[in-house]
Amino acid sequence: MTKTDRTPLAEPVSPREVPDAAIAMLDTEGTVVGWTHAAEQLVGYSAAEVVGRSAAHVLPPAEDAPSPSAFAEQCRAQDGWSGTVMVRHRDGHAIKMTLRISRLWGQDADTRWLVSVTDIGTLSSGAPNGAVRESLLARSPIGIAVYDPQLRCTWVSDVLERHVGVPRDRWFGRRLKDLFPGFEAEALESVMRQVLESGPTKVHEYRAWPPADRGRAHLFSASFFCLQDADGKALGVCSMSVDVTGNRRARERLAILSEASTRVGSTLDLMQTGQELADLAVPLLADIAVVDLMESVPFGLEPSARIGTTSGRSPVLRRAGVASIDLGVLGLTAVREEVIHVPPTSSFGAALRTGRSHLEPVLDTHAGPWVDHDPTRAQKVRDSGIHSLMVVPIRARRCVLGLAVFGRSEELTPFQEDDLLLAEELVTRAALNLDNALQYARQRTAALTLQRDLLPHHVGGGAALDVASRYVPADMDHGVGGDWFDVIKLSGARVALVVGDVVGHGINAAATMGRLRTAVRTLADMELPPHELLTHLDDTVRRLSEEDADAPDHLPAAVGATCLYAVYDPVTRRCTMARAGHPPPAIIDPQGLVAFPDMPAGAPLGLGLGLVPFESVELELPEGTLLALYTDGLVESRDDDIDMGLDRLGAALAETGSSLEDLCSHVIETLPTQSPADDVTLLLARTRGLEPAQVASWDLPNEPAAVRIARQAAARQLSEWGLEYLVATVQLIVSELVTNAIRYGGGPICLRLIQHQVLTCEVSDSNTSHPRPRQPHIIGENGRGLFLVAQLSRRWGSRSATDGKVVWAEQDLPSKAVAM
């Protein structure tokens, strides 16, 4: 409220704040000349029993108290008295009361005494019992005035003279509206008329501008009592007012700080927190508020310089929050996220360097650093009408994260020290939220960086699959999770597809994800069937959990994961898959029909449910079939159940004409929110089959002659493929593998050559034992076969088959041959 707009306060006074003090008016001889209804209720005496009698008779002093005449002299010398007394009720019981005696001045220097007593037993330290009641106990100055039935002032205290700055001689015989035209006089006189007519005490709050405070508005609480004569008729109205500015400001400050706890820091977004601080400050504290953060802070990086240090460069800030009672001031709607260069020698630069606030109660924009450093901005400040300014650094852990600037333009009262204290408290609370958001952003960035480093940077499906993938981290409130995916090339042109999800969020989940991805790759190299791989992975997760639990000073985290593992063979065009608590894949046939296969769910990894075995299922997939592997973040949300998510996913995947990359983007765009509560991972794979001409196989007898047959068959096939240069090498490999199958295996033997991105030579037999390479002895004749195969191949290995095993070896092909 401005000084020119002195309208009454709209805030009503609570009934609990109406004091129950007993008021009596005495003449210079100590005789009661006025009594109140509240006094009758408190001590039991009516006005007829009290008025005209000595106050000593009604309020007998204690035994050790001075005589009435000595006490009267003491009151005259001290201009009043206050303390605690025992007062005897009319029925005889004693009441402990606080008593206050105040001198009143009348015309021609005549005096009266006003006595107010309050029952201490009715005062509760934990309840807000009113400004006047508190003042009676605290002995703070109370302004008193007595008005006759025509509302003309007859008696006034010195304190009231100081409150409003009007000499007491001007009060006598005048009404309030004569003394203060337009100064809420009508409202105050209306209250006094109500008291005269009905009798009950009333309270009203008003503003005044004491000259001792350089014209700053103060808030006063006035209590009005009806004074009665011996016949119970109204003699006039007594007004007792106390300056409650400090109390009101304290309540307002607590209210603002309480609101700050709910309105600032609602998210972990740094820029949003800055805007929330600005929005809170306007209009509760300032007309204009601007919050600027150090340029690195919005990106999750702490400022390099600490308080008291200098870097030699001009500080650079980024505007995070802007608020104003007039959105057009300074073009504020267009400057958020603007980059601000701060002159080092300005008050803003000093606040950043020292970490100390700066207060300019009266802002001079016509001279000094404003004009020297930034004339353009100084002109904007002039145009805005800002006349008072506070600059408060946003500090956390000896670093300045930015600045909060508060200005007044419409409110004419300049900022004072208590305003600066409130601003600093608000900024301190916001700084806590900003620092939390900054630390979270750093941890999230680290987790996201770790996760992106651990995830495959490029996925390729070789000759078997076309693949594409997407990963979307969770929103700021939930953090990066433990999703992972992988595409692993296996022997025989086969490809493994993996999607998994580790329990939890943050850097620990990302690190666990990395360990599990590595474990899956290791197990995949062992050529295990999907259900066996998940069984071994389950053991790995449980061991990790046990190791973490046994670590000293380590709080065991929940370790668990879900996983889907699938292997596609382009030769047979069959896909074998198993899952551990993971959502089933989506399969879209070449005509666009979407299906989610019914396959055993399996238990999530790490739960110790090893008695429930994982199961593999095998599906035949025509060429051009689309496989979609995903994590639950894609199909589950806060508002939708998984069935709705699966329907949404199926509808998006039915876009058969799109490329895989476009289809990935389309699926992600169908998410209910672009800030998911959980990580979203999507892996798409479109199947391809090898042409019959790329595969050649022969069934061989289990006898030594099979070696010659195999060598000749391999040579002919390589010649057909134009790979004559590989004949000698492949014949050596075939000889060794077929010889081992005859010597250690049993039953029929099969030789298969596959030409895809590499040339694969496979020999299968019915023996389930896998070969182990041995270092051959210098003079020994055994153990050289597999050693020779390893030397001649780019890589080799073995895998289990339905009725035995397969031993394979690969040869590199020239690019021309690969393109066939």
Side-chain angles (χ1 to χ4, degrees):
M1 184 173 296
T2 65
K3 189 171 182 178
T4 56
D5 182 17
R6 298 173 176 175
T7 57
L9 294 178
E11 180 182 347
V13 178
S14 168
R16 292 180 301 171
E17 294 193 24
V18 178
D20 53 6
I23 303 297
M25 191 173 180
L26 312 180
D27 62 14
T28 55
E29 303 300 325
T31 302
V32 178
V33 295
W35 194 248
T36 62
H37 181 67
E40 179 180 352
Q41 289 183 320
L42 188 61
V43 297
Y45 293 96
S46 66
E49 296 174 302
V50 174
V51 175
R53 305 186 67 178
S54 171
H57 175 74
V58 179
L59 305 174
E63 296 180 358
D64 56 349
S67 64
S69 58
F71 182 70
E73 288 300 326
Q74 180 181 348
C75 291
R76 293 189 185 94
Q78 298 178 359
D79 204 24
W81 184 88
S82 62
T84 302
V85 297
M86 295 298 297
V87 176
R88 188 166 300 279
H89 192 272
R90 189 173 184 274
D91 62 11
H93 76 274
I95 309 173
K96 187 176 183 179
M97 295 187 176
T98 62
L99 182 143
R100 184 162 187 165
I101 302 176
S102 305
R103 187 203 297 261
L104 302 180
W105 296 95
Q107 204 162 6
D108 300 327
D110 197 5
T111 60
R112 287 287 187 270
W113 298 96
L114 193 80
V115 179
S116 59
V117 292
T118 305
D119 184 358
I120 292 180
T122 64
L123 298 177
S124 172
S125 59
N129 290 293
V132 174
R133 179 182 298 182
E134 294 171 2
S135 299
L136 288 172
L137 292 177
R139 304 183 182 182
S140 61
I142 296 180
I144 304 173
V146 178
Y147 304 87
D148 64 17
Q150 288 73 42
L151 304 185
R152 295 175 301 214
C153 182
T154 56
W155 305 93
V156 68
S157 69
D158 292 336
V159 174
L160 189 61
E161 179 181 346
R162 294 195 298 271
H163 279 176
V164 296
V166 177
R168 63 171 179 257
D169 292 341
R170 291 184 54 191
W171 287 77
F172 302 130
R174 290 185 173 87
R175 295 173 57 173
L176 279 177
K177 66 178 184 179
D178 300 326
L179 290 168
F180 311 106
F183 174 63
E184 212 178 310
E186 291 294 338
L188 291 171
E189 289 194 353
S190 175
V191 173
M192 287 191 285
R193 280 192 290 269
Q194 294 177 36
V195 171
L196 283 172
E197 292 171 2
S198 58
T201 302
K202 291 187 177 296
V203 178
H204 186 77
E205 291 186 350
Y206 65 94
R207 290 183 186 270
W209 283 258
D213 198 12
R214 295 176 294 181
R216 185 176 188 183
H218 281 230
L219 182 67
F220 292 88
S221 179
S223 298
F224 296 91
F225 306 84
C226 180
L227 291 173
Q228 300 173 338
D229 60 13
D231 296 329
K233 295 180 180 180
L235 286 173
V237 179
C238 173
S239 166
M240 301 177 65
S241 61
V242 62
D243 189 341
V244 295
T245 305
N247 294 340
R248 174 55 61 89
R249 288 176 184 165
R251 290 198 296 270
E252 290 175 349
R253 175 171 177 166
L254 289 175
I256 293 175
L257 295 179
S258 175
E259 196 165 352
S261 63
T262 58
R263 288 180 53 184
V264 180
S266 62
T267 70
L268 289 170
D269 183 274
L270 288 153
M271 300 293 280
Q272 179 64 28
T273 301
Q275 183 61 49
E276 289 171 349
L277 172 59
D279 290 338
L280 176 67
V282 176
L284 295 179
L285 176 63
D287 298 329
I288 297 169
V290 174
V291 178
D292 297 333
L293 299 178
M294 298 298 290
E295 190 178 31
S296 63
V297 171
F299 301 100
L301 302 175
E302 286 189 353
S304 56
R306 302 181 71 80
I307 295 176
T309 62
T310 57
S311 61
R313 295 182 293 107
S314 298
V316 179
L317 306 176
R318 186 174 295 272
R319 186 136 297 167
V322 176
S324 172
I325 57 173
D326 180 3
L327 294 179
V329 173
L330 298 178
L332 291 176
T333 56
V335 298
R336 193 167 179 224
E337 298 193 12
E338 176 187 359
V339 174
I340 310 296
H341 295 273
V342 179
T345 56
S346 66
S347 58
F348 300 96
L352 289 172
R353 185 176 62 256
T354 63
R356 292 194 294 269
S357 301
H358 175 73
L359 170 65
E360 287 193 49
V362 180
L363 184 63
D364 184 5
T365 59
H366 295 276
W370 282 91
V371 177
D372 296 339
H373 294 303
D374 196 340
T376 302
R377 192 170 296 276
Q379 184 61 46
K380 289 184 178 181
V381 174
R382 294 190 195 103
D383 296 341
S384 72
I386 297 176
H387 60 84
S388 189
L389 194 74
M390 294 187 295
V391 181
V392 182
I394 304 172
R395 300 179 300 178
R397 294 179 294 108
R398 289 198 52 78
C399 284
V400 176
L401 304 181
L403 291 177
V405 181
F406 307 96
R408 278 185 175 169
S409 55
E410 297 295 325
E411 169 63 64
L412 298 183
T413 305
F415 286 124
Q416 302 291 331
E417 289 293 337
D418 55 346
D419 296 314
L420 182 61
L421 291 175
L422 176 57
E424 289 178 333
E425 181 66 25
L426 282 177
V427 171
T428 297
R429 297 194 177 202
L432 265 176
N433 293 306
L434 285 168
D435 189 50
N436 289 338
L438 178 60
Q439 299 309 310
Y440 173 78
R442 291 179 59 196
Q443 293 181 8
R444 185 175 188 273
T445 300
L448 189 57
T449 302
L450 175 63
Q451 188 173 47
R452 292 195 184 278
D453 286 344
L454 294 174
L455 289 174
H457 296 168
H458 172 73
V459 290
L465 299 168
D466 292 324
V467 295
S469 63
R470 288 292 186 276
Y471 167 71
V472 180
D475 61 24
M476 290 290 291
D477 290 336
H478 294 82
V480 178
D483 284 14
W484 91 90
F485 65 93
D486 212 342
V487 179
I488 307 170
K489 294 179 182 179
L490 303 176
S491 64
R494 298 171 309 128
V495 176
L497 301 173
V498 190
V499 168
D501 185 1
V502 174
V503 171
H505 295 83
I507 197 165
N508 290 335
T512 301
M513 174 273 291
R515 292 197 285 184
L516 294 188
R517 178 172 177 250
T518 301
V520 170
R521 278 193 161 264
T522 301
L523 294 170
D525 287 342
M526 298 172 62
E527 303 276 2
L528 297 174
H531 64 280
E532 290 187 22
L533 183 142
L534 291 182
T535 300
H536 286 286
L537 189 61
D538 182 46
D539 291 337
T540 300
V541 174
R542 285 190 286 116
R543 283 198 302 270
L544 290 176
S545 178
E546 292 170 358
E547 291 172 1
D548 290 341
D550 293 338
D553 302 327
H554 178 80
L555 293 176
V559 177
T562 63
C563 184
L564 173 63
Y565 184 80
V567 176
Y568 173 69
D569 188 342
V571 176
T572 63
R573 293 174 183 167
R574 300 186 70 83
C575 182
T576 306
M577 61 184 74
R579 61 184 178 132
H582 203 83
I587 300 178
I588 302 90
D589 67 16
Q591 288 72 43
L593 182 62
V594 181
F596 294 91
D598 184 13
M599 55 184 296
L605 303 171
L607 299 186
L609 302 179
L611 296 178
V612 182
F614 299 104
E615 297 182 49
S616 295
V617 297
E618 188 175 70
L619 304 173
E620 185 171 351
L621 303 179
E623 185 171 0
T625 299
L626 181 65
L627 277 171
L629 282 66
Y630 52 90
T631 55
D632 56 5
L634 184 65
V635 294
E636 291 182 352
S637 67
R638 301 180 184 93
D639 303 320
D640 299 336
D641 59 24
I642 191 170
D643 291 333
M644 295 181 64
L646 291 175
D647 292 341
R648 184 182 67 249
L649 174 61
L653 292 173
E655 302 285 340
T656 55
S658 303
S659 68
L660 289 187
E661 289 294 336
D662 292 341
L663 190 55
C664 273
S665 300
H666 176 62
V667 171
I668 296 302
E669 289 170 359
T670 63
L671 288 171
T673 173
Q674 294 306 307
S675 297
D678 196 5
D679 285 12
V680 172
T681 299
L682 174 65
L683 178 61
L684 297 183
R686 183 168 284 133
T687 63
R688 293 188 295 191
L690 295 183
E691 297 296 333
Q694 293 178 266
V695 182
S697 61
W698 301 269
D699 292 327
L700 304 174
N702 193 350
E703 56 186 39
V707 176
R708 177 178 53 80
I709 298 172
R711 288 170 58 89
Q712 293 174 350
R716 288 194 303 270
Q717 187 62 53
L718 291 177
S719 297
E720 290 181 15
W721 285 340
L723 302 176
E724 292 86 352
Y725 72 97
L726 289 177
V727 169
T729 302
V730 172
Q731 281 186 325
L732 284 174
I733 294 174
V734 167
S735 296
E736 296 299 333
L737 296 183
V738 173
T739 298
N740 280 348
I742 296 172
R743 179 177 299 177
Y744 302 108
I749 299 172
C750 181
L751 168 65
R752 184 168 70 168
L753 296 179
I754 305 172
Q755 182 197 17
H756 50 109
Q757 291 181 327
V758 295
L759 177 67
T760 303
C761 174
E762 297 180 344
V763 174
S764 59
D765 60 57
S766 58
N767 191 335
T768 58
S769 299
H770 290 262
R772 293 184 179 181
R774 293 180 294 174
Q775 186 70 28
H777 195 271
I778 296 177
I779 61 174
E781 297 183 0
N782 297 325
R784 299 182 184 274
L786 292 180
F787 180 78
L788 182 61
V789 170
Q791 295 298 314
L792 296 175
S793 307
R794 68 186 298 269
R795 66 173 189 150
W796 77 278
S798 64
R799 66 176 183 269
S800 297
T802 305
D803 52 359
K805 69 174 181 297
V806 176
V807 184
W808 54 268
E810 293 178 349
Q811 294 290 315
D812 287 320
L813 293 177
S815 57
K816 182 178 180 180
V818 172
M820 291 178 59

